[in-house]
Amino acid sequence: MNIKFVVVGKLKEKYFKQGIAEYAKRLSRFCKFSIVEVPDEKAPESMSQAEMDQVMAAEGERILSKIKDREYVYALAILGKERSSEEFAKELKDLTTYGHSDITFVIGGSLGLTPAVLKRANTQISFGRFTLPHQLMRLVLTEQVYRAFMINEGSPYHK
């Protein structure tokens, strides 16, 4: 199984990098895990809606260029479907059972994802209505993917 994150922007904070590296190491026994970073667009504080749409469109094109046709895509979106850790674990297990071995998660930039990216996604997932920095979301998502594997293995990790 291949798990890939396609994310906007570089991870600068050392503590996020360390946390993600730890979960990536743990995930290596379950899957091939990778993170593909696409450059973010410069986005000044005050932009018109047209400028915001332009920034999102540029980032969206970069995201879509990193997704292959056969990949099952989760788009992280506030309005996506919330799942419990157990539901998420079952979903990942079911996907692999039914032939989806390439699973991709997309985390947009600070302005979110374009309709084109959301349309390409097979499903949208939400981690609640909180707004979280996309760098932190990367760490949270990595841990939840690891947790899903541990739940499916019957490990006590999920207590």
Side-chain angles (χ1 to χ4, degrees):
M1 171 188 276
N2 297 305
I3 301 274
K4 176 172 77 177
F5 292 3
V6 178
V7 300
V8 173
K10 289 238 177 278
L11 198 58
K12 297 170 192 74
E13 294 83 355
K14 188 177 173 185
Y15 50 93
F16 287 145
K17 286 181 182 176
Q18 290 170 329
I20 291 167
E22 175 59 31
Y23 287 113
K25 186 174 79 178
R26 293 179 188 190
L27 276 168
S28 67
R29 64 184 256 234
F30 300 109
C31 64
K32 183 175 177 252
F33 176 73
S34 62
I35 297 177
V36 177
E37 293 178 334
V38 299
D40 53 351
E41 282 290 297
K42 298 288 175 253
E45 285 298 311
S46 58
M47 289 190 293
S48 69
Q49 186 60 51
E51 289 170 320
M52 287 192 276
D53 291 345
Q54 206 171 9
V55 165
M56 286 181 10
E59 292 174 349
E61 285 175 25
R62 291 179 193 137
I63 289 167
L64 290 170
S65 75
K66 302 299 181 188
I67 299 172
K68 295 179 179 65
D69 288 345
R70 71 176 185 277
E71 295 173 16
Y72 188 94
V73 178
Y74 281 87
L76 275 72
I78 280 183
L79 298 177
K81 180 182 173 209
E82 291 184 39
R83 296 150 170 90
S84 68
S85 294
E86 294 85 357
E87 289 167 338
F88 181 57
K90 182 181 182 324
E91 204 170 296
L92 287 182
K93 189 163 128 185
D94 289 349
L95 284 171
T96 56
T97 301
Y98 297 107
H100 294 284
S101 59
D102 297 302
I103 299 173
T104 298
F105 294 86
V106 176
I107 301 175
S110 57
L111 297 176
L113 295 169
T114 60
V117 173
L118 295 173
K119 186 170 184 260
R120 168 56 186 93
N122 297 85
T123 188
Q124 294 179 29
I125 187 169
S126 173
F127 284 75
R129 292 176 50 204
F130 285 112
T131 300
L132 297 172
H134 51 279
Q135 297 92 336
L136 175 58
M137 200 59 238
R138 236 188 262 193
L139 175 59
V140 170
L141 180 60
T142 309
E143 190 280 336
Q144 283 299 304
V145 170
Y146 173 70
R147 180 177 297 272
F149 280 107
M150 296 305 283
I151 289 169
N152 288 336
E153 188 181 74
S155 163
Y157 175 82
H158 179 60
K159 296 288 179 237

